[in-house]
Amino acid sequence: MRQRELRRLQAQLVELTLHQRSGVGAAEPSVQRWVLARHQSPSACPHCQSRHLVRNGQAHGFQHFRCRGCGVTLTA
């Protein structure tokens, strides 16, 4: 698959509902894990266990978060 086609597919996957995302990976579990990982928010900071996380931009389609407790940045 060409890079341009892959980026277009990734952009389209972001627009799917949760129900649609779960159907995408039915034939290929690795695809389902990839799609869900891109949209799942962490529940707590792995460094200080604080639950005060805020969105902090995106990179390569993955949401980044910043902990307000200790300042650590993490990816979904």
Side-chain angles (χ1 to χ4, degrees), residues 18-76:
L18 185 59
H19 179 71
Q20 291 169 331
R21 286 181 213 146
S22 64
V24 168
E28 182 59 50
S30 62
V31 172
Q32 186 175 23
R33 284 192 305 272
W34 178 79
V35 170
L36 292 175
R38 292 173 64 98
H39 300 281
Q40 223 169 23
S41 300
S43 59
C45 174
H47 185 257
C48 72
Q49 306 309 314
S50 171
R51 295 194 178 271
H52 299 285
L53 302 174
V54 293
R55 290 176 182 237
N56 193 31
Q58 290 186 353
H60 307 289
F62 288 91
Q63 180 66 53
H64 285 237
F65 296 89
R66 185 175 57 80
C67 174
R68 286 201 171 164
C70 66
V72 167
T73 59
L74 51 135
T75 304

